[in-house]
C-alpha cells in the first residue's frame, strides 16, 4: 500500500515531464557560457527584440517547422504564445516591413547540421536529440 | 598533394557556401493578407466607421500582396499592394521601399512608407494582426497613412529593456478623401520620431509627427461678394425705399441665389473656409481669417503614447493621442482608448472603450470654430470575439455601441454596429 502510494506520487510528479523537454542549443564554436543565456534572453532573441548574444556577437534564431510538438512546447514555455499568437506577432513585423520570419528547419537533425558550424545561430530541439555536435545553453 | 586537396575542398566549400547564399538571396518572398467582412448598422441617421445603415459588405473588405526580395546581404526591396473595398478595389502601393540594414541594429529605408502616427499605424490594415474587426476610428481616422521619404531605425537595449527609435522624413502629394469628398493635398516636411520599448510582457510607445498641410480648398469669393452686396442693398433699401434701391436689392438677391447654389455644391472644407470669412465679419472678430482659417502650409502635430501588456492569456492596451492644427479649419482633437482581452484556447474575448473629443481654440478663433459648428465628440464601447480557426485564419464578431455626443456642433445620435469578418494571412 505504501509502495503503491509512492508509485502514484512519482507518476504524478513525472506527469509534467511527459511532454518534450526542450534543449536550447548553439554551435560549440559559440563563445557564450551556459550561465549567460537565460530563458528571458532566449525569448527576446526568438522574438527579434535583441540580435546579439551577451558577448556581443550576432544572434539569429532558427525555428522548427510548424506542427512540431517541440515547437509548440517551446512557443508555450519560452515565448508564452500559441502558434496563432506567434503568427500575429510576426505578421505585425512582416507587414510593416520590419522583419521576416526567422529561418525554419524540418527536423532536429537538420537544425544540428545547420547550427554546428555557425556560431551566430541558436535553435531548440528535444533534449533527447542532444549530441556533441552542438552545445546546450538552456534546458527546460 | 595534400595541400591541393585541402585547397580543392576549400574551393568546393566556398562555392557551396556562395551558392547557398545565392539561393537564399534570390528567393522572392510573397506574402499577403485579406479581410472580408460585413457590417450592419441599426440607425441610418448616423455614419459609423464608414457604415450607413443596412448590410455593407464592401467597407471592411481588403486584399494586399507583399513581395520582397533580398537583393544582397544588406539590401532588401519590398512592395505592398493594397486594394480596398472603400476605394472600389483600386490598387495602391501602401509600401514600396528599399531597406538597407547597415548593422544588426540599424536600418535605413527609402521609398513609400507608412507614417508611424500611432501604435497600430504601420500595420493598420492587417486585420489578422489585431483583435478588432477594424481599428477604433475614434483614434485611427487620419485620412492619410503613407508618405514618400526615408526612415531610420536604431535598436538598442538597456538591460532587459529593448528599444527602437525610428525617425522619419518625407512628403505626400495625393488626393485625400475627407468627409467623403476629394481634396488635392500636399503634405510637406512630414517629420517624426517614435520610440517603442518592450520589457518582458510590457510594451511602451511614444511618438510625434509634424507636417505642413496644403489642401486645394478655397474661399468662394463670388459667394462672399454676393452676400456682402445683398447685405448692403438690403440696408440701402431699408433706409430709403425707392424703386432704384428696390431694383438693386432684387438684383443682389438674384445674384446671391445663384451663388448660393454654387456654394451649396462646394465641398465641406470649402464651405467652412468661406463661412469663416463671412461669419468673422458678421461677428466682428479680430482675426486674420483668410490666413488662420485656411490650409496653406499650416502645421499639424500628432502626439501619441501607448502602454501594452500581453502575457499570452491576458492582454491590455491603452493609447492616447493628441492632434494640434495650426489652421482653425480643422479642430484640435484628443482621443484615447483602453482595451482588455482574455484568451481561452483559440478564442479571445475583448472589450474596448474609446473616446474622441474635439477641442476648440481659445479666443476669437475658437468662437468662430464654434459658430462654424466644426466640433464633435464621440465615444464607443466595443465587445468582440476573435476565434483563431487555424494559424492563418481569424474569424471575428463584434458589437459596437457608438454615441455621437456632439456632431458638427449639434447633439448627435447613437447606434449599434454589428460586424462579422474573416481575416487571413498567407
Amino acid at each position: 500500500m505504501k509502495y503503491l502510494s509512492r508509485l502514484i506520487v512519482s507518476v504524478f510528479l513525472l506527469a509534467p515531464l511527459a511532454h518534450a523537454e526542450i534543449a536550447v542549443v548553439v554551435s560549440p564554436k559559440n563563445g557564450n557560457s551556459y550561465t549567460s543565456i537565460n530563458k528571458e534572453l532566449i525569448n527576446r532573441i526568438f522574438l527579434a527584440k535583441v540580435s546579439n548574444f551577451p558577448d556581443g556577437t550576432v544572434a539569429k534564431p532558427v525555428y522548427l517547422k510548424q506542427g512540431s510538438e517541440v515547437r509548440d512546447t517551446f512557443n508555450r514555455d519560452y515565448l508564452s504564445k500559441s502558434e496563432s499568437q506567434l503568427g500575429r506577432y510576426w505578421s505585425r513585423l512582416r507587414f510593416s516591413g520590419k522583419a521576416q520570419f526567422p529561418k525554419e528547419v524540418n527536423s532536429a537533425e537538420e537544425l544540428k547540421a545547420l547550427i554546428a558550424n555557425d556560431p551566430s545561430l541558436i535553435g531548440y530541439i528535444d533534449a533527447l536529440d542532444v549530441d556533441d555536435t552542438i552545445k546546450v545553453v538552456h534546458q527546460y | 598533394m595534400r595541400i591541393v586537396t585541402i585547397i580543392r575542398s576549400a574551393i568546393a566549400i566556398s562555392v557551396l557556401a556562395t551558392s547557398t547564399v545565392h539561393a537564399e538571396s534570390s528567393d522572392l518572398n510573397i506574402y499577403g493578407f485579406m479581410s472580408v467582412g460585413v457590417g450592419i448598422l441599426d440607425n441610418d441617421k448616423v455614419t459609423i466607421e464608414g457604415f450607413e445603415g443596412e448590410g455593407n459588405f464592401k467597407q471592411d473588405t481588403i486584399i494586399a500582396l507583399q513581395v520582397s526580395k533580398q537583393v544582397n546581404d544588406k539590401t532588401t526591396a519590398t512592395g505592398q499592394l493594397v486594394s480596398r473595398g472603400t476605394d472600389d478595389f483600386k490598387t495602391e502601393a501602401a509600401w514600396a521601399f528599399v531597406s538597407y540594414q547597415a548593422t544588426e541594429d540599424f536600418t535605413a529605408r527609402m521609398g513609400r512608407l507608412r507614417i508611424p502616427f500611432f501604435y497600430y499605424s504601420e500595420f493598420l490594415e492587417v486585420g489578422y494582426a489585431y483583435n478588432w474587426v477594424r481599428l477604433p476610428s475614434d483614434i485611427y481616422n487620419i485620412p492619410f497613412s503613407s508618405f514618400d521619404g526615408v526612415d531610420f531605425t536604431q535598436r538598442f537595449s538597456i538591460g532587459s529593456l529593448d528599444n527602437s527609435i525610428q525617425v522619419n522624413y518625407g512628403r505626400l502629394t495625393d488626393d485625400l478623401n475627407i468627409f467623403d469628398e476629394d481634396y488635392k493635398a500636399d503634405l510637406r516636411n512630414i517629420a517624426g520620431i517614435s520610440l517603442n520599448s518592450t520589457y518582458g510582457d510590457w510594451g511602451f510607445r511614444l511618438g510625434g509627427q509634424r507636417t505642413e498641410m496644403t489642401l486645394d480648398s478655397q474661399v468662394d469669393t463670388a459667394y462672399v461678394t454676393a452676400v456682402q452686396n445683398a447685405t448692403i442693398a438690403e440696408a440701402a433699401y431699408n433706409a430709403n425705399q425707392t424703386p432704384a434701391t428696390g431694383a438693386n436689392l432684387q438684383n443682389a438677391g438674384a445674384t446671391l441665389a445663384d451663388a448660393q447654389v454654387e456654394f451649396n455644391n462646394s465641398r465641406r472644407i470649402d464651405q467652412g473656409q468661406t463661412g469663416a470669412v463671412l461669419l468673422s465679419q458678421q461677428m466682428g472678430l479680430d482675426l486674420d481669417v483668410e490666413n488662420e482659417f485656411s490650409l496653406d502650409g499650416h502645421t499639424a502635430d500628432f502626439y501619441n503614447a501607448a502602454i501594452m501588456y500581453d502575457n499570452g492569456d491576458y492582454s491590455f492596451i491603452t493609447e492616447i493621442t493628441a492632434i494640434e492644427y495650426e489652421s482653425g479649419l480643422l479642430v484640435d482633437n484628443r482621443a484615447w482608448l483602453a482595451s482588455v482581452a482574455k484568451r481561452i484556447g483559440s478564442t479571445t474575448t475583448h472589450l474596448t472603450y474609446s473616446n474622441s473629443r474635439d477641442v476648440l481654440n481659445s479666443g476669437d478663433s475658437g468662437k468662430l470654430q464654434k459658430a462654424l459648428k466644426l466640433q464633435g465628440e464621440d465615444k464607443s464601447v466595443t465587445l468582440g470575439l476573435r476565434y483563431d480557426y487555424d494559424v492563418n485564419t481569424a474569424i471575428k464578431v463584434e458589437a459596437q455601441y457608438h454615441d455621437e455626443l456632439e456632431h458638427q456642433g449639434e447633439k448627435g445620435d447613437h447606434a449599434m454596429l454589428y460586424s462579422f469578418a474573416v481575416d487571413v494571412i498567407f
Side-chain angles (χ1 to χ4, degrees):
Chain A
M1 191 59 198
K2 195 176 173 192
Y3 177 77
L4 185 64
S5 67
R6 198 180 292 162
L7 187 69
I8 290 169
V9 167
S10 56
V11 165
F12 187 71
L13 284 175
L14 283 172
L17 300 176
H19 68 258
E21 192 176 343
I22 303 287
V24 178
V25 298
V26 296
S27 163
K29 294 176 183 166
N30 186 307
N32 290 279
S33 65
Y34 183 85
T35 48
S36 67
I37 300 182
N38 59 17
K39 207 171 151 184
E40 180 211 84
L41 182 65
I42 293 165
N43 171 297
R44 291 158 65 207
I45 291 172
F46 273 84
L47 296 179
K49 292 175 179 176
V50 278
S51 41
N52 298 98
F53 287 112
D55 69 355
T57 58
V58 172
K60 294 180 192 157
V62 181
Y63 280 67
L64 288 179
K65 271 257 154 60
Q66 238 179 62
S68 137
E69 190 198 331
V70 179
R71 169 162 161 150
D72 293 343
T73 309
F74 180 83
N75 286 349
R76 191 192 61 208
D77 293 346
Y78 283 82
L79 308 181
S80 305
K81 290 187 192 309
S82 67
E83 191 61 49
S84 295
Q85 287 173 313
L86 191 66
R88 207 183 310 180
Y89 179 84
W90 283 101
S91 73
R92 291 180 175 191
L93 294 176
R94 170 182 296 154
F95 293 119
S96 58
K98 295 239 157 111
Q100 293 295 345
F101 197 91
K103 194 172 180 59
E104 288 178 307
V105 294
N106 289 309
S107 66
E109 294 314 311
E110 204 182 315
L111 187 121
K112 285 188 284 185
L114 186 71
I115 283 183
N117 288 308
D118 189 340
S120 72
L121 301 180
I122 179 167
Y124 54 84
I125 53 177
D126 189 323
L128 298 173
D129 290 324
V130 169
D131 59 31
D132 59 7
T133 62
I134 38 86
K135 182 169 96 171
V136 175
V137 286
H138 197 268
Q139 196 156 342
Y140 185 76
Chain B
M1 186 59 201
R2 205 189 147 107
I3 291 171
V4 172
T5 318
I6 291 171
I7 291 173
R8 259 194 207 145
S9 48
I11 291 171
I13 288 168
S14 67
V15 166
L16 195 71
T18 320
S19 66
T20 317
V21 168
H22 186 251
E24 263 181 26
S25 63
S26 71
D27 277 350
L28 187 65
N29 293 307
I30 302 176
Y31 299 104
F33 56 89
M34 185 169 182
S35 298
V36 290
V38 58
I40 297 165
L41 191 65
D42 76 346
N43 181 345
D44 56 14
K45 285 192 288 251
V46 286
T47 303
I48 300 175
E49 319 274 359
F51 288 93
E52 302 169 19
E54 298 174 9
N56 185 328
F57 285 88
K58 225 165 130 186
Q59 191 68 27
D60 283 327
T61 300
I62 188 167
I63 181 161
L65 272 185
Q66 178 166 316
V67 178
S68 69
K69 176 163 163 72
Q70 191 162 354
V71 183
N72 60 43
D73 259 9
K74 297 189 163 181
T75 314
T76 306
T78 305
Q80 190 186 99
L81 299 173
V82 186
S83 186
R84 308 171 181 90
T86 48
D87 235 3
D88 288 325
F89 297 104
K90 206 168 63 189
T91 302
E92 189 187 83
W95 297 90
F97 64 90
V98 171
S99 71
Y100 178 75
Q101 183 154 18
T103 70
E104 285 303 315
D105 293 322
F106 184 82
T107 308
R109 307 191 291 185
M110 186 168 170
R112 168 148 288 205
L113 303 160
R114 288 273 199 205
I115 307 172
F117 282 119
F118 308 142
Y119 177 66
Y120 292 94
S121 294
E122 286 189 289
F123 44 92
L124 88 163
E125 293 175 313
V126 190
Y128 176 86
Y130 40 81
N131 289 329
W132 301 291
V133 168
R134 64 196 84 74
L135 295 175
S137 70
D138 284 342
I139 287 185
Y140 290 87
N141 62 356
I142 301 172
F144 53 100
S145 56
S146 296
F147 74 107
D148 301 300
V150 289
D151 72 11
F152 304 97
T153 305
Q154 173 73 52
R155 300 194 300 159
F156 61 98
S157 298
I158 304 165
S160 303
L161 182 72
D162 300 317
N163 313 285
S164 80
I165 282 197
Q166 187 174 346
V167 178
N168 62 281
Y169 179 79
R171 180 173 175 180
L172 175 70
T173 41
D174 201 0
D175 287 337
L176 295 190
N177 189 278
I178 307 172
F179 310 122
D180 282 329
E181 289 158 339
D182 285 328
Y183 297 86
K184 289 210 183 315
D186 185 2
L187 309 175
R188 289 167 191 254
N189 297 320
I190 299 172
I193 183 165
S194 331
L195 169 69
N196 281 288
S197 303
T198 59
Y199 182 83
D201 293 335
W202 291 88
F204 311 94
R205 182 194 148 86
L206 282 175
Q209 296 287 332
R210 163 170 280 201
T211 179
E212 290 156 15
M213 291 180 80
T214 299
L215 293 191
D216 67 345
S217 68
Q218 54 189 354
V219 174
D220 184 344
T221 46
Y223 183 68
V224 171
T225 311
V227 171
Q228 286 166 342
N229 287 345
T231 312
I232 293 166
E234 191 180 19
Y237 178 75
N238 288 341
N240 185 12
Q241 296 190 5
T242 66
T245 56
N248 268 346
L249 178 57
Q250 207 158 21
N251 285 339
T255 310
L256 176 59
D258 288 343
Q260 185 77 47
V261 172
E262 286 288 314
F263 174 79
N264 290 346
N265 286 333
S266 65
R267 299 168 301 182
R268 195 167 143 195
I269 295 180
D270 296 321
Q271 292 178 355
Q273 205 166 337
T274 307
V277 170
L278 286 168
L279 278 172
S280 140
Q281 287 169 356
Q282 284 175 18
M283 294 164 73
L285 299 179
D286 181 23
L287 276 178
D288 177 8
V289 67
E290 304 252 4
N291 174 34
E292 286 184 41
F293 281 70
S294 68
L295 284 159
D296 189 15
H298 291 68
T299 59
D301 293 317
F302 304 81
Y303 305 98
N304 162 248
I307 300 173
M308 292 75 76
Y309 174 81
D310 186 353
N311 73 358
D313 294 327
Y314 289 94
S315 64
F316 168 79
I317 178 167
T318 184
E319 181 160 32
I320 178 162
T321 64
I323 308 178
E324 302 274 335
Y325 295 105
E326 188 188 11
S327 167
L329 269 186
L330 300 173
V331 187
D332 297 349
N333 180 272
R334 308 279 178 269
W336 66 279
L337 70 82
S339 182
V340 287
K342 162 86 175 108
R343 179 183 72 101
I344 301 169
S346 298
T347 307
T348 306
T349 311
H350 56 94
L351 180 67
T352 305
Y353 176 84
S354 62
N355 175 267
S356 159
R357 188 169 55 87
D358 289 339
V359 181
L360 298 174
N361 288 343
S362 59
D364 281 356
S365 174
K367 281 182 198 159
L368 185 53
Q369 286 181 323
K370 197 172 162 71
L372 287 165
K373 301 192 171 185
L374 297 178
Q375 79 282 16
E377 181 173 358
D378 296 85
K379 70 172 184 191
S380 293
V381 179
T382 306
L383 178 66
L385 275 181
R386 173 196 173 112
Y387 175 71
D388 285 295
Y389 174 76
D390 65 23
V391 175
N392 301 315
T393 312
I395 299 169
K396 300 169 178 176
V397 285
E398 212 167 272
Q400 178 180 356
Y401 172 76
H402 187 102
D403 197 355
E404 282 176 341
L405 300 167
E406 190 177 22
H407 180 65
Q408 295 176 18
E410 310 268 355
K411 185 167 166 33
D413 208 335
H414 55 84
M416 288 293 299
L417 174 63
Y418 302 94
S419 309
F420 172 83
V422 178
D423 295 320
V424 177
I425 55 167
F426 49 90

